[in-house]
């Protein structure tokens, strides 16, 4: 037993036999005297000063006895110390008296709005985005409601701070900026006891889990255990944009090691310092995890896979989609938000989806996921078989255009996109050969939409539709300015990470952002409020269509194919209603009876960040 432990225990047992009343009821300190210490010393010996060998100096000044009448102060269990209830300087006079906060806070009483104004002023003083990210995370850890109020009211300004692109840098430096755990870490060390680990999480009513293994974080590669920033960030958006209660959200990182040499040699790396587990060892850990999740949280908990490498992402989604409520945002969420943008863009470029030809740079999770959802939507509209509608969509990977002659060497998820065509080695030649009306980048490789590529697109399209989706900003296939300039201002452009408006020949061009945050918060809310037990492709199509109709004429005039984020909670409520409606139609919903007005029901389910009044 350390001298500090003895000191604390001595202060505890000095109160043996005394009872005092507080707001929390009768505290019997006698019970606390029955503590068994790790050194085997009895409390009686400690009280009588019979314990030796611990060092220390006699309490000459009586400091140990100075607070003996209130050794357990109300502050120790105060609501002001709980981030979910803390209001800081917004506690009223009555609340300060009722909860023993008198003197522990400055005398001024602020409204939540004034607190928000002060914090936004402070955030804007930071010139480095990572500093803003850290300030926001600090706020979340001490005053949860104010954090979400700030994020909801200033979503367009703060979304790039709490999520992409800043979250990418935060993950890269997570070991250095780590302060306290914000989610669950499940590593190979926990194999065989994952259910026990899940039960360590203090909340029981979990509705959404976002889980990553950190192997493919954004476009930054393998960041191992430091990928925790992604589940934390995504779940912040589930609450701020979709209204899911913070206490119902659980971020999880599964640590199976990392192949990132820099991290393996970093003394501050917070994860397992070993090569990634693969094959059966990996599969067994994930199987145990998925089984434990269902056992602990039930059939209707949504598990969102995030930033798994291609080879695992497709396998996990295929394996668990029939037994669990699972959703892969990189495959399905990206697909849904891009499809929404394409449907909306038809008002600018004309025709139907079936009239257009699509070319992708990138044939991984995002690329093939988007391509498949486009093919499904065209099939739905034209009644043609999906095998036929896929022929309107072409993909380019690192070896060139995906064609039939390459089929034997292709990964299974690329094979549906191998069409009859002579081999083409690079993107520019593919653009010239295919002559697409829509060019979509999901490669994770920055600056691959070169001047020649964009000029070629503009040469045979009056309004070329160019989507540079890779994150973060440094990995974007081209910038908004490049797309507008190289197309003589004719391109309709959207990106994965945000870009500032661009002035071209006196006209202000406003780039859209094909951000998954448009889709997954509302999609998740729709699943939860309907009690859906499985995710079906038709639910994703419903989400896309619901988002597309939110784009209004005033947005189209600016060249936008997505609505502004300022209305995101309204957008999320409409998406949730459409998803829930489709779930009820397909017989996937378990919450009965079905609400009459699903939009109003969605809005009523949303978490409010406004302060509560405490008695």
């Amino acid at each position: 037993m350390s001298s500090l432990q003895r000191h604390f225990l001595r202060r505890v047992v000095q109160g043996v036999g005394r009872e005092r009343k507080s707001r929390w009821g009768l505290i019997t300190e006698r019970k606390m005297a029955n503590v068994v210490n790790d050194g085997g010393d009895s409390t009686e010996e400690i009280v009588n000063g019979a314990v030796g060998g611990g060092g220390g100096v006699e309490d000459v000044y009586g400091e140990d006895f100075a607070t003996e009448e209130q050794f357990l102060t109300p502050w120790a269990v105060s609501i002001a110390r709980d981030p979910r209830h803390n209001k800081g300087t917004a506690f009223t006079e009555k609340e300060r008296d009722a909860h023993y906060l008198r003197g522990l806070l400055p005398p001024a009483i602020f409204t939540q709005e004034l607190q928000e104004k002060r914090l936004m002023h402070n955030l804007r003083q930071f010139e480095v985005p990572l500093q803003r990210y850290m300030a926001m995370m600090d706020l979340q850890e001490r005053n949860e409601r104010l954090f979400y109020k700030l994020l909801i009211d200033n979503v367009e300004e703060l979304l790039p701070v709490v999520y992409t692109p800043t979250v990418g840098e935060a993950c890269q430096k997570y070991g250095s900026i780590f302060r306290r755990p914000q989610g669950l870490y499940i590593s190979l060390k926990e194999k065989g006891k994952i259910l026990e680990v899940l039960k360590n999480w203090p909340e029981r009513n979990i509705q959404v889990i976002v889980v990553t293994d950190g192997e493919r974080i954004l476009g930054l590669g393998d960041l191992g255990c430091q990928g925790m920033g992604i589940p934390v960030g995504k779940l912040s958006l589930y609450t701020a944009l979709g209204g899911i209660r913070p206490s119902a959200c659980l971020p999880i990182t599964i640590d199976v090691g990392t192949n990132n040499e820099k991290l393996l040699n970093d003394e501050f790396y917070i994860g397992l310092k070993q090569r990634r587990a693969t094959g059966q060892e990996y599969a067994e850990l994930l199987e145990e995890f998925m089984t434990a999740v269902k056992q602990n949280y039930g059939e209707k908990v949504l598990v969102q896979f995030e930033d798994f490498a291609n080879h695992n992402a497709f396998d996990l989604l295929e394996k668990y989609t029939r037994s669990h409520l699972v959703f892969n945002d990189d495959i399905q969420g990206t697909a849904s938000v891009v499809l929404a943008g394409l449907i909306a863009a038809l008002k600018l470029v004309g025709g139907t989806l079936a009239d257009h030809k699509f070319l992708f740079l990138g044939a991984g999770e995002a690329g093939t996921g988007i391509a498949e959802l486009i093919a499904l939507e065209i099939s739905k509209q034209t009644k043609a078989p999906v095998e036929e509608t896929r022929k309107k969509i072409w993909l380019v990977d690192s070896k060139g255009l995906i064609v039939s002659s390459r089929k034997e060497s292709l990964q299974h998820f690329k094979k549906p996109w191998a069409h009859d065509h002579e081999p083409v080695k690079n993107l520019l030649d593919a653009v010239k050969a295919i002559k697409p009306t829509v060019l979509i980048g999901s490669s994770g490789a920055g600056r691959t939409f070169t001047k020649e590529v964009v000029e070629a697109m503009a040469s045979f399209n009056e309004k070329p539709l160019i989507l540079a989706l890779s994150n973060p900003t440094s990995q974007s296939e081209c910038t908004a300015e490049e797309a507008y300039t190289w197309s003589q201002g004719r391109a309709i452009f959207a990106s994965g990470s945000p870009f500032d408006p661009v002035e071209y020949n006196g006209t202000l061009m406003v780039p859209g952002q094909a951000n998954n945050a448009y889709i997954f918060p509302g999609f998740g809310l729709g699943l939860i409020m309907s009690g859906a037990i499985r995710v079906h492709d038709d639910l994703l199509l419903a989400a896309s269509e619901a988002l597309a109709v939110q784009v209004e004429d005033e947005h189209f005039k600016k060249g936008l194919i997505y609505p502004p984020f300022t209305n995101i909670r309204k957008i999320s409520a409409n998406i949730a209603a459409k998803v829930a409606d489709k779930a009820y139609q397909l017989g996937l919903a378990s919450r009965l009876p079905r609400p009459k007005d699903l939009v109003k029901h969605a809005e009523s389910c949303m978490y409010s960040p406004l302060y509560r009044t405490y008695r």
Side-chain angles (χ1 to χ4, degrees):
M1 170 177 281
S2 69
S3 59
L4 184 61
Q5 288 172 315
R6 288 195 183 88
H7 174 77
F8 174 76
L9 192 54
R10 182 178 290 114
R11 291 180 63 185
V12 169
V13 297
Q14 282 164 357
V16 172
R18 282 195 296 274
E19 294 179 339
R20 54 182 286 267
K21 275 206 169 183
S22 73
R23 188 179 183 280
W24 301 276
L26 200 61
I27 299 174
T28 305
E29 299 174 7
R30 182 179 286 107
K31 293 179 181 178
M32 301 184 70
N34 293 325
V35 177
V36 177
N37 62 76
D38 60 357
D41 303 321
S42 72
T43 52
E44 184 179 356
E45 288 175 321
I46 295 174
V47 173
N48 295 331
V51 177
V57 179
E58 185 182 354
D59 182 20
V60 177
Y61 299 102
E63 291 174 348
D64 289 350
F65 299 91
T67 58
E68 66 171 11
E69 292 302 322
Q70 50 172 358
F71 75 96
L72 181 65
T73 66
W75 178 249
V77 287
S78 171
I79 58 174
R81 293 171 65 87
D82 184 343
R84 291 189 186 161
H85 304 296
N86 183 26
K87 295 161 56 171
T89 53
F91 281 112
T92 64
E93 297 284 2
K94 286 184 178 179
E95 289 170 336
R96 294 180 188 210
D97 285 333
H99 295 278
Y100 302 92
L101 300 177
R102 181 69 63 185
L104 300 176
L105 292 168
I109 296 176
F110 285 15
T111 62
Q112 193 176 21
E113 289 71 25
L114 186 57
Q115 288 180 319
E116 181 182 348
K117 181 179 179 181
R118 177 170 61 86
L119 281 166
M120 284 305 299
H121 170 77
N122 292 342
L123 282 171
R124 288 167 183 150
Q125 306 308 306
F126 293 118
E127 296 182 2
V128 179
L130 186 60
Q131 292 176 330
R132 292 194 189 101
Y133 173 88
M134 293 173 67
M136 286 295 288
M137 292 305 102
D138 284 346
L139 176 61
Q140 187 178 21
E141 290 174 8
R142 70 176 187 270
N143 189 332
E144 189 174 84
R145 288 181 181 272
L146 186 55
F147 169 83
Y148 286 112
K149 182 80 162 59
L150 214 66
L151 186 51
I152 292 167
D153 292 348
N154 305 275
V155 63
E156 290 190 314
E157 184 174 351
L158 294 181
L159 186 62
V161 175
V162 299
Y163 203 62
T164 182
T166 309
V167 74
E169 184 183 0
C171 287
Q172 288 177 310
K173 299 174 180 177
Y174 210 76
S176 298
I177 65 174
F178 179 83
R179 299 191 180 187
R180 57 170 296 213
Q182 294 176 291
L184 270 182
Y185 293 87
I186 298 174
S187 74
L188 290 169
K189 292 180 179 180
E190 282 72 59
K191 190 173 182 181
K193 47 188 176 183
I194 292 179
L195 180 59
E196 184 182 329
V197 173
L198 290 178
K199 289 180 178 179
N200 287 342
W201 189 252
E203 299 296 337
R204 291 290 173 263
N205 186 23
I206 299 298
Q207 295 176 323
V208 185
I209 292 171
V210 176
V211 60
T212 186
D213 71 352
E215 190 169 4
R216 192 200 62 82
I217 298 297
L218 302 175
L220 302 171
D222 186 351
L223 297 183
C225 191
Q226 297 188 169
M228 179 59 94
I230 297 296
V232 170
K234 285 270 170 152
L235 287 168
S236 295
L237 301 186
Y238 259 113
T239 298
L241 313 186
I244 309 297
R245 288 180 296 105
S247 60
C249 299
L250 175 55
I252 296 179
T253 291
I254 295 180
D255 186 359
V256 295
T258 179
N259 294 333
N260 186 324
E261 289 290 343
K262 186 176 179 182
L263 293 179
L264 289 172
N265 296 318
D266 183 355
E267 64 177 325
F268 299 125
Y269 179 54
I270 59 175
L272 291 178
K273 289 195 175 183
Q274 65 176 64
R275 293 280 173 186
R276 278 190 172 274
T278 57
Q280 185 176 350
E281 185 179 15
Y282 181 89
E284 287 176 355
L285 189 73
L286 267 294
E287 174 66 22
E288 184 188 347
F289 168 71
M290 294 301 292
T291 302
V293 162
K294 197 169 182 179
Q295 185 176 343
N296 202 45
Y297 300 120
E299 185 87 13
K300 292 180 284 189
V301 63
L302 172 62
V303 179
Q304 178 171 312
F305 296 121
E306 195 69 38
D307 286 354
F308 285 76
N310 289 342
H311 56 280
N312 289 322
F314 288 103
D315 291 345
L316 290 170
L317 187 59
E318 183 178 357
K319 180 176 181 179
Y320 293 109
T321 194
R322 288 179 291 275
S323 59
H324 292 68
L325 183 65
V326 293
F327 171 70
N328 186 304
D329 192 43
D330 303 302
I331 299 173
Q332 297 165 297
T334 301
S336 188
V337 76
V338 172
L339 177 59
L342 296 175
I343 294 171
L346 294 176
K347 290 193 176 181
L348 295 173
V349 298
T352 65
L353 279 179
D355 297 327
H356 289 270
K357 197 180 290 185
F358 306 85
L359 179 64
F360 286 76
L361 177 63
E365 296 172 56
T368 55
I370 298 165
E372 183 67 13
L373 204 62
I374 293 171
L376 287 170
E377 180 69 12
I378 295 174
S379 175
K380 177 184 171 184
Q381 292 177 2
T382 62
K383 309 302 180 187
V386 72
E387 292 78 13
E388 194 65 29
T389 60
R390 285 179 182 141
K391 294 178 181 178
K392 296 180 178 293
I393 303 166
W394 297 79
L395 279 71
V396 173
D397 65 7
S398 59
K399 294 180 174 61
L401 190 66
I402 295 178
V403 294
S404 299
S405 60
R406 294 179 51 197
K407 204 162 190 175
E408 293 304 315
S409 62
L410 291 172
Q411 293 164 288
H412 67 91
F413 54 85
K414 294 182 182 181
K415 289 184 178 181
W417 312 103
H419 308 317
D420 292 332
H421 197 283
E422 62 186 26
V424 178
K425 291 295 183 184
N426 60 62
L427 177 62
L428 179 59
D429 290 343
V431 169
K432 291 177 178 178
I434 303 299
K435 290 185 168 51
T437 54
V438 182
L439 180 63
I440 300 174
S442 59
S443 62
R447 303 300 182 265
T448 41
F449 288 176
T450 62
K451 182 180 180 183
E452 292 76 18
V453 168
V454 175
E455 286 178 343
M457 283 291 294
S459 68
F460 46 77
N461 290 297
E462 178 60 31
K463 292 182 177 180
L465 184 50
I466 297 173
L467 306 181
L469 303 178
S470 294
N471 290 314
T473 311
S474 60
Q475 304 303 114
S476 183
E477 285 78 10
C478 70
T479 67
E481 185 175 10
E482 289 167 345
Y484 294 134
T485 303
W486 295 338
S487 65
Q488 287 100 41
R490 291 187 283 119
I492 298 168
F493 177 82
S495 58
S497 288
F499 284 101
D500 292 329
V502 177
E503 188 172 336
Y504 181 82
N505 286 349
T507 302
L508 189 67
M509 319 289 284
V510 183
Q513 187 184 357
N515 194 317
N516 293 21
Y518 278 115
I519 290 290
F520 71 81
F523 186 79
L525 178 61
L527 295 175
I528 291 167
M529 74 184 211
S530 64
I533 54 173
R534 298 291 180 270
V535 171
H536 190 280
D537 287 336
D538 283 354
L539 303 184
L540 296 167
L541 296 178
S544 298
E545 292 162 6
L547 176 57
V549 299
Q550 301 293 315
V551 189
E552 300 175 355
D553 288 340
E554 61 179 293
H555 308 137
F556 287 124
K557 289 175 183 177
K558 298 176 183 178
L560 288 169
I561 57 175
Y562 293 100
F565 263 107
T566 47
N567 298 323
I568 188 61
R569 278 207 156 192
K570 176 186 173 185
I571 294 167
S572 292
N574 279 277
I575 291 173
K578 290 293 184 183
V579 170
D581 180 51
K582 184 60 69 173
Y584 281 107
Q585 289 178 33
L586 296 174
L588 296 173
S590 64
R591 291 193 189 278
L592 299 172
R594 179 188 187 276
K596 291 182 179 179
D597 190 327
L598 286 169
V599 175
K600 284 186 177 179
H601 182 63
E603 291 172 342
S604 71
C605 289
M606 287 184 167
Y607 165 84
S608 170
L610 298 179
Y611 285 149
R612 294 179 178 181
T613 299
Y614 302 111
R615 290 182 293 177

